Amino acid sequence: MTVPKSHPRYLSLITRDRLVEGWKNGLVVTQGLIAHGRGEAFDYLLGEVTVDEARKAERTAACRMLLAERLVISVNGNVGALVPGEVAELSRILECPVEVNIFHRTEERVSRLAALLREHGCYEVLGEEPDAKLEGLEHARALCSRKGIFSSDVVLVPLEDGDRCQALKAAGKDVITIDLNPLSRTSKTADITIVDNLIRAMPNLISEVKDLKEDLKAEKISRDDMERTVSDFSNDDNIRSVLRSISERFSSSDEK
Amino acid sequence: MTVPKSHPRYLSLITRDRLVEGWKNGLVVTQGLIAHGRGEAFDYLLGEVTVDEARKAERTAACRMLLAERLVISVNGNVGALVPGEVAELSRILECPVEVNIFHRTEERVSRLAALLREHGCYEVLGEEPDAKLEGLEHARALCSRKGIFSSDVVLVPLEDGDRCQALKAAGKDVITIDLNPLSRTSKTADITIVDNLIRAMPNLISEVKDLKEDLKAEKISRDDMERTVSDFSNDDNIRSVLRSISERFSSSDEK
C-alpha cells in the first residue's frame, strides 16, 4: 500500500496496512481487524501520543521484567503482525521465551506465528506443542507450555482478552499488559497496564530495559531501586489518571 | 446474515453486515473495515443516537446544499457500501452529481462503485475518468473530475480523510462532512461537521432537504432564512458541544 510519509497520520495508516498484510498472510483473524479499529478510537482519545501515565507504566514494566525469575512474552496474531521485530529484540535483551498464545486457535496459525517470530530472531519460541493448561478457561483457550507461561512468574501479554488475563492472575502470575482501552477488563485486571499504542509502547519498553540494564551495570541504580519502583506503582491510580486526562481532553478541546 | 430485528443493537449489526458484504464485493478495502470499527467505538460514546448537535448540523447542511451553485456528493467505498440508495435519492432531489473518490484507488474499484451508484439511480455519476487534480495531495489521491469536485462550490464528503478534507478547503470549497469522530482532522477542518452515524445521518439529510424544499415552495421560509441558518452556524462551537456531552457520558460511566 502507498500511504505517503508526509501524511500526518502516517503511523496510524501504516499500522493499519501492516495489520491487513498480517490478515492476508493468515496471522490475523478478521475479528482482530475490528478489535484494532476499536483500539484506534481509544488512541484518538489519548491524542495518539504516549501519555505520562503510559510512560510511567512502561518504566515500571521494564523494572518488573528485569526482576522476573521466569519471564515470558505472550504473543497473539495482532501482536505478531504489528511488532514482530520489537518482540524479538525485547526477548533477546531480556533473554526470555516468547510464547504464541492466540484466542482463535488453529494449529496452522500457531505455526505461522511461531515461524514469523523465529525469522525475526526471538530468543526462544514456544507454544506449538502446548503441554499444560490454565485453570478456569475452556480447553482451546487454556492451552499453554509448561516451560513457558505455565511456570512463569511474570508475563507480558499485550492486547490480551479479559478472561485470559484473569486466568493468568488466578494462576498467580504478575501480568503486564499493553491495552489502549483503559476501561477493559484486561486493563483493570493486570498488575501493570500500559495504556498506549503497541507501536509506540514496544520501542519504549526496549529503550527502558536497555537504559535500566546500563544503569544497573554502572551501579547508578540497584535492584532495590527497581523493586521500589514496582511496589510504589498503583495500577488503579494510574488508570484513573488516564481516564481523567481523557475526560479533560474532551471537555477542554478548545486546543485545536 | 440473520440478525433478529429485536436485537437491541440491530442497526449496528446490520450496518456491519452491509459493510462486510461490500468488502466481499470489492467495494470496501480491508482498511475500511478497521475504520468502521473505529467509528463504532465513537458511536458508542454518542450513545448510538443522533445527538442534538448532529440534528442542528444536518439542518444547516441541508440549507447549505440547497443554496449551492455547484454541489457534488463525494463517495468512497464505505459510503457506497453503506448508503448507496440514500446517496442516490439525495442526488436526485438536489439534482447534483455524485463523484467516486476513494482513498486506496484502483480503477476496478472505481468502476464497481460507479456501477453500483448508477444501479441505485444517482442523478449523475462521475469519477471514472478524472481530468483534474487537487493541489497539495500526491497523485493518486489528488485526482478528481473537472466538471465535478474540481469546479464545485460545495462538497458533501462523508467519512473523508483529513488530508483530502484540507485540500478541498484549500481549493476554496465549502465542505460538509459526516464523521463519528469529533476529534478527527476532517471534523475540525470541515465547514459543517455532522457527528453522526452515516446510517442515521443520510435519511435525516434527505428529510431535511425535502422539508426545506416544500417550505420554500410554500413560502414558509426564504433563501435568506436558509442563508442565516448557515451563517449563524459555528462548527467549532457545535463540535465543542458534542465533546462536552461525550465527556459527561464518559466521566459518569467511569465513576460506576
Side-chain angles (χ1 to χ4, degrees), chain B residues 81 86 106 111 147 167 186 196 206 222 231 246:
Chain B
E86 289 82 352
T106 67
S111 316
K147 63 181 282 204
T186 296
D196 199 3
I206 290 168
S222 64
S231 62
I246 292 177

Side-chain angles (χ1 to χ4, degrees), chain B residues 4-54:
Chain B
K5 281 218 170 182
S6 58
H7 194 290
R9 299 196 57 255
Y10 175 77
L11 193 65
S12 169
L13 293 170
I14 276 296
T15 305
R16 210 183 259 183
D17 287 351
R18 231 187 265 181
L19 200 72
V20 170
E21 204 54 41
W23 168 78
K24 286 183 188 156
N25 297 333
L27 299 172
V28 170
V29 286
T30 311
Q31 287 82 347
L33 300 181
I34 300 177
H36 184 77
R38 189 172 75 191
E40 281 188 6
F42 280 106
D43 204 11
Y44 251 102
L45 300 185
L46 295 174
E48 295 182 304
V49 295
T50 298
V51 297
D52 292 343
E53 292 85 355

Side-chain angles (χ1 to χ4, degrees), chain B residues 133-149:
Chain B
K133 273 189 187 183
L134 289 173
E135 292 281 325
L137 295 172
E138 40 76 59
H139 184 74
R141 310 220 198 286
L143 295 174
C144 64
S145 299
R146 190 162 296 276
K147 63 181 282 204
I149 287 174

Side-chain angles (χ1 to χ4, degrees), chain A residues 148-162:
Chain A
I149 287 174
F150 190 78
S151 58
S152 66
D153 61 337
V154 180
V155 192
L156 170 64
V157 279
L159 317 183
E160 184 54 295
D161 164 65

Side-chain angles (χ1 to χ4, degrees), chain A residues 187-200:
Chain A
S187 287
K188 289 175 178 172
T189 305
D191 297 280
I192 303 172
T193 301
I194 298 165
V195 182
D196 199 3
N197 193 322
L198 189 63
I199 293 278
R200 297 188 301 265

Side-chain angles (χ1 to χ4, degrees), chain B residues 145-199:
Chain B
S145 299
R146 190 162 296 276
K147 63 181 282 204
I149 287 174
F150 190 78
S151 58
S152 65
D153 61 337
V154 179
V155 193
L156 171 64
V157 279
L159 317 183
E160 183 54 296
D161 167 64
D163 258 20
R164 297 221 298 195
C165 186
Q166 286 177 333
L168 289 169
K169 277 308 299 168
K173 320 293 180 199
D174 262 23
V175 178
I176 303 167
T177 195
I178 303 171
D179 192 328
L180 277 163
N181 177 358
L183 296 168
S184 74
R185 264 184 322 132
T186 296
S187 287
K188 289 174 177 174
T189 305
D191 298 280
I192 303 172
T193 301
I194 299 165
V195 183
D196 199 3
N197 192 322
L198 189 64
I199 293 279

Side-chain angles (χ1 to χ4, degrees), chain A residues 114-238:
Chain A
L116 177 84
L117 292 167
R118 278 198 192 94
E119 247 172 59
H120 278 85
C122 282
Y123 181 74
E124 186 185 1
V125 178
L126 303 171
E128 283 158 301
E129 282 163 16
D131 51 3
K133 273 188 186 184
L134 288 173
E135 292 281 325
L137 295 172
E138 37 80 54
H139 184 74
R141 309 222 198 288
L143 295 174
C144 65
S145 299
R146 189 162 297 276
K147 65 181 280 205
I149 287 174
F150 190 78
S151 58
S152 66
D153 61 337
V154 180
V155 192
L156 170 64
V157 279
L159 317 183
E160 184 54 295
D161 164 65
D163 261 19
R164 296 221 298 197
C165 187
Q166 285 174 336
L168 289 169
K169 275 310 298 168
K173 319 293 180 200
D174 262 22
V175 178
I176 303 168
T177 195
I178 304 171
D179 192 327
L180 276 163
N181 178 359
L183 296 168
S184 74
R185 256 178 333 129
T186 296
S187 287
K188 289 175 178 172
T189 305
D191 297 280
I192 303 172
T193 301
I194 298 165
V195 182
D196 199 3
N197 193 322
L198 189 63
I199 293 278
R200 297 188 301 265
M202 287 297 291
N204 289 345
L205 281 177
I206 290 167
S207 70
E208 290 286 1
V209 170
K210 280 184 179 166
D211 289 352
L212 286 167
K213 281 180 86 168
E214 274 176 30
D215 288 354
L216 273 171
K217 210 168 159 187
E219 294 182 11
K220 284 191 192 159
I221 57 160
S222 65
R223 287 179 64 91
D224 281 358
D225 293 332
M226 294 202 296
E227 270 163 19
R228 221 169 0 250
T229 300
V230 173
S231 61
D232 286 352
F233 181 80
S234 159
N235 204 43
D236 285 354
D237 288 351
N238 203 52

Side-chain angles (χ1 to χ4, degrees), chain A:
Chain A
M1 277 295 169
T2 53
V3 177
K5 281 217 171 182
S6 58
H7 196 291
R9 298 195 58 257
Y10 176 76
L11 192 65
S12 171
L13 293 169
I14 275 296
T15 305
R16 216 182 253 186
D17 288 351
R18 228 187 268 180
L19 202 71
V20 169
E21 205 52 43
W23 168 81
K24 285 182 188 157
N25 297 334
L27 299 172
V28 170
V29 287
T30 311
Q31 288 84 343
L33 299 181
I34 298 176
H36 183 77
R38 195 172 66 189
E40 281 189 3
F42 281 105
D43 204 11
Y44 248 101
L45 303 187
L46 296 174
E48 294 183 304
V49 295
T50 298
V51 296
D52 292 343
E53 292 84 357
R55 244 318 152 194
K56 188 177 173 183
E58 283 156 4
R59 175 84 175 175
T60 309
C63 290
R64 187 66 194 90
M65 290 192 291
L66 280 165
L67 291 167
E69 308 256 316
R70 297 178 66 90
L71 171 68
V72 174
I73 304 175
S74 171
V75 167
N76 66 17
N78 282 27
V79 175
L82 292 175
V83 287
E86 289 82 352
V87 165
E89 185 174 358
L90 193 59
S91 80
R92 285 194 307 269
I93 56 179
L94 288 163
E95 298 181 8
C96 74
V98 173
E99 183 165 334
V100 176
N101 190 20
I102 58 183
F103 193 74
H104 298 278
R105 187 181 178 99
T106 66
E107 294 318 307
E108 197 193 340
R109 209 153 68 82
V110 171
S111 319
R112 282 189 192 190
L113 273 165
L116 177 84
L117 292 167
R118 278 198 192 94
E119 247 172 59
H120 278 85
C122 282
Y123 181 74
E124 186 185 1
V125 178
L126 303 171
E128 283 158 301
E129 282 163 16
D131 51 3
K133 273 188 186 184
L134 288 173
E135 292 281 325
L137 295 172
E138 37 80 54
H139 184 74
R141 309 222 198 288
L143 295 174
C144 65
S145 299
R146 189 162 297 276
K147 65 181 280 205
I149 287 174
F150 190 78
S151 58
S152 66
D153 61 337
V154 180
V155 192
L156 170 64
V157 279
L159 317 183
E160 184 54 295
D161 164 65
D163 261 19
R164 296 221 298 197
C165 187
Q166 285 174 336
L168 289 169
K169 275 310 298 168
K173 319 293 180 200
D174 262 22
V175 178
I176 303 168
T177 195
I178 304 171
D179 192 327
L180 276 163
N181 178 359
L183 296 168
S184 74
R185 256 178 333 129
T186 296
S187 287
K188 289 175 178 172
T189 305
D191 297 280
I192 303 172
T193 301
I194 298 165
V195 182
D196 199 3
N197 193 322
L198 189 63
I199 293 278
R200 297 188 301 265
M202 287 297 291
N204 289 345
L205 281 177
I206 290 167
S207 70
E208 290 286 1
V209 170
K210 280 184 179 166
D211 289 352
L212 286 167
K213 281 180 86 168
E214 274 176 30
D215 288 354
L216 273 171
K217 210 168 159 187
E219 294 182 11
K220 284 191 192 159
I221 57 160
S222 65
R223 287 179 64 91
D224 281 358
D225 293 332
M226 294 202 296
E227 270 163 19
R228 221 169 0 250
T229 300
V230 173
S231 61
D232 286 352
F233 181 80
S234 159
N235 204 43
D236 285 354
D237 288 351
N238 203 52
I239 288 177
R240 254 194 295 276
S241 177
V242 173
L243 290 171
R244 260 195 308 274
S245 335
I246 291 177
S247 181
E248 276 158 27
R249 221 180 110 70
F250 260 111
S251 42
S252 71
S253 54
D254 303 51
E255 30 160 299
K256 235 194 160 181

